[in-house]
Amino acid sequence: MGQSAPRFPDGAASRAVLIGCSDFDDIDLPAIPAVKSNLADLRSALTQDTHGILPPEHCRVLADPADHRSVGMALAQAAGEADDLLLVYYTGHGLLDEDGLLHLALSSTDPGHVGFTGVPAELVKRHLGRARARLRVLVLDCCFSGRAVAAMTESGSLLSAQLDMSGTYTLTSTTATAPSHAPPGQRHTAFTAALLDALNQAEPLTLDGIHQHIDSRLREAGLPRPQRRSVDAAGNLALVRGPVQPHGEPPTGHEGEIRFRQQPPEPSVDRRRDTVVYVVLLSVLVAVGVLFAGWFATLIAAGGIALFVGLVLLLLFLRRGVHYDLVVDSHGLGTEHGTHSAHVPWKDIERVGVLRRAPGTVLISNVLIVRLKAGAPRPPGFHKRLNRRLPDQRYVILGMLSTYGADPMRLRSAIEHFAGGIYRTDQQLLEMDPRLR
């Protein structure tokens, strides 16, 4: 497959927004379980340490957004920050209104009122058009109705015209809701599976090469072929630097959850460290005792101290191996410590974020905090001492990130993956409520 030499974008000057909807309130829009894996694995491919083109913090995921605001804010922020590449990807249902204009379905979209409840493709195009990025890439993996498929394939269709924009490279899928396009039990939709396979080739493919690879894969499977539009855009851009694993997994945990855990030191390291500390402490105490109290009193004191320290070390040994887990899944946020657990469901959370400093403290940093919706019950089991300092009962501190070994950027991506646009930065939280300072 011939192609020109690839050009790799500047990751520091590039941004990606990955949007997907798998579950819908309206019964006329069937669920697409593969969407969750589409988002997780494409993000993993784009941000993989060795071969990805983007730092993790520059790839934002919106999973099952329910409103236009979260989508618009994410697109506007990315468009304002990207100088080299701006990549926007959508996976879910694509719907046409009465005028044949494409809308991207959100979890709350009403198929009978698409124009008011879906995101118009024109709106996405507008955000791309405002971006100062040298290259904008739009990838649409939409499940269309039969009418949408017909409109896609018509020469000079409204859909094709909508996506014409200077400096934009567009890949579109005509994937329908038929099982052959998103088979039950399969990890990805057909189009995104072919896209991830293209990113996993031995040599990095350019955008044109990716299109050819996807086209070949879908054609062999007897599926609708993808469309490509390049308007004053360089088709020699590559999205990865080398083969990536398309089935990237979250930090840890089972499929459907992302689990953060602070790994304890190796037991052998602990034992050596404890032994050294124990011996040094006793030696110092004996030396001080001999100097000021004589041998007899020192031996009695040393025996008592040795018993006390031994009990402390025994307690530490018994606690060793008990993990502090932070769990992010489709249901909400939870913590686990041995047999103790606590949970806050997404439906009760108005917003969530990480504060650099816990309210009213100096030393306690990077705390995960949620603001509950009005009327939501306050969950028990979280840090009572920290929560006593909060301005009102609608706030709950779930703990310090260091307790769970959670990286702030990976945690943000996990929350956005499952809950959409409810995450807020430290600055945004303080602007919304200065009492948190």
Side-chain angles (χ1 to χ4, degrees), residues 364-426:
I364 301 176
S365 60
N366 286 338
V367 294
L368 180 61
I369 186 171
V370 302
R371 179 168 174 81
L372 302 172
K373 293 179 179 177
R378 185 178 177 83
F382 292 107
H383 299 265
K384 294 181 180 179
R385 182 171 61 87
L386 291 178
N387 282 292
R388 280 199 296 266
R389 300 175 180 270
L390 295 175
D392 62 56
Q393 291 294 302
R394 289 180 63 184
Y395 286 107
V396 178
I397 288 180
L398 277 63
M400 293 180 292
L401 299 196
S402 59
T403 302
Y404 310 110
D407 174 77
M409 290 303 174
R410 299 181 77 185
L411 175 60
R412 173 176 179 170
S413 295
I415 293 172
E416 290 175 340
H417 173 71
F418 287 109
I422 67 172
Y423 186 90
R424 299 292 182 268
T425 64
D426 175 83

Side-chain angles (χ1 to χ4, degrees), residues 142-176:
C142 302
C143 288
F144 287 99
S145 66
R147 178 184 175 189
V149 172
M152 256 305 258
T153 55
E154 289 173 1
S155 177
S157 68
L158 282 171
L159 174 57
S160 296
Q162 279 178 268
L163 299 178
D164 276 337
M165 184 181 64
S166 177
T168 299
Y169 195 103
T170 306
L171 283 174
T172 65
S173 166
T174 56
T175 304

Side-chain angles (χ1 to χ4, degrees), residues 321-393:
V322 177
H323 297 280
Y324 291 81
D325 289 12
L326 174 64
V327 182
V328 188
D329 59 24
S330 58
H331 304 291
L333 289 167
T335 63
E336 297 177 6
H337 171 218
T339 59
H340 303 285
S341 63
H343 184 263
V344 186
W346 296 124
K347 65 181 181 63
D348 291 343
I349 298 177
E350 180 179 291
R351 55 182 177 264
V352 58
V354 174
L355 283 173
R356 292 197 183 98
R357 291 285 180 270
T361 68
V362 176
L363 299 178
I364 301 176
S365 60
N366 286 338
V367 294
L368 180 61
I369 186 171
V370 302
R371 179 168 174 81
L372 302 172
K373 293 179 179 177
R378 185 178 177 83
F382 292 107
H383 299 265
K384 294 181 180 179
R385 182 171 61 87
L386 291 178
N387 282 292
R388 280 199 296 266
R389 300 175 180 270
L390 295 175
D392 62 56
Q393 291 294 302

Side-chain angles (χ1 to χ4, degrees), residues 17-26 29 35-36 39 60-75 88-93 104-110 116-119 124 346 415-424:
V17 180
L18 312 183
I19 309 165
C21 280
S22 59
D23 298 303
F24 304 88
D25 297 337
D26 196 287
L29 292 177
V35 162
K36 288 185 173 66
L39 294 172
R60 185 169 184 180
V61 173
L62 296 182
D64 289 314
D67 57 73
H68 298 70
R69 181 176 180 272
S70 58
V71 176
M73 288 179 62
L75 292 176
V88 177
Y89 165 89
Y90 172 82
T91 176
H93 284 296
L104 311 179
L106 304 176
S107 60
S108 59
T109 292
D110 178 359
F116 293 101
T117 60
V119 175
V124 178
W346 296 124
I415 293 172
E416 290 175 340
H417 173 71
F418 287 109
I422 67 172
Y423 186 90
R424 299 292 182 268

Side-chain angles (χ1 to χ4, degrees), residues 35-117:
V35 162
K36 288 185 173 66
S37 298
N38 283 356
L39 294 172
D41 293 347
L42 182 56
R43 182 185 185 277
S44 177
L46 295 174
T47 62
Q48 198 172 81
D49 289 343
T50 306
H51 293 143
I53 58 169
L54 295 173
E57 62 270 22
H58 290 177
C59 185
R60 185 169 184 180
V61 173
L62 296 182
D64 289 314
D67 57 73
H68 298 70
R69 181 176 180 272
S70 58
V71 176
M73 288 179 62
L75 292 176
Q77 181 178 351
E81 295 175 351
D83 288 318
D84 193 17
L85 168 66
L86 175 59
L87 169 65
V88 177
Y89 165 89
Y90 172 82
T91 176
H93 284 296
L95 303 172
L96 296 180
D97 64 14
E98 294 179 352
D99 295 322
L101 301 178
L102 175 66
H103 292 71
L104 311 179
L106 304 176
S107 60
S108 59
T109 292
D110 178 359
H113 300 87
V114 176
F116 293 101
T117 60

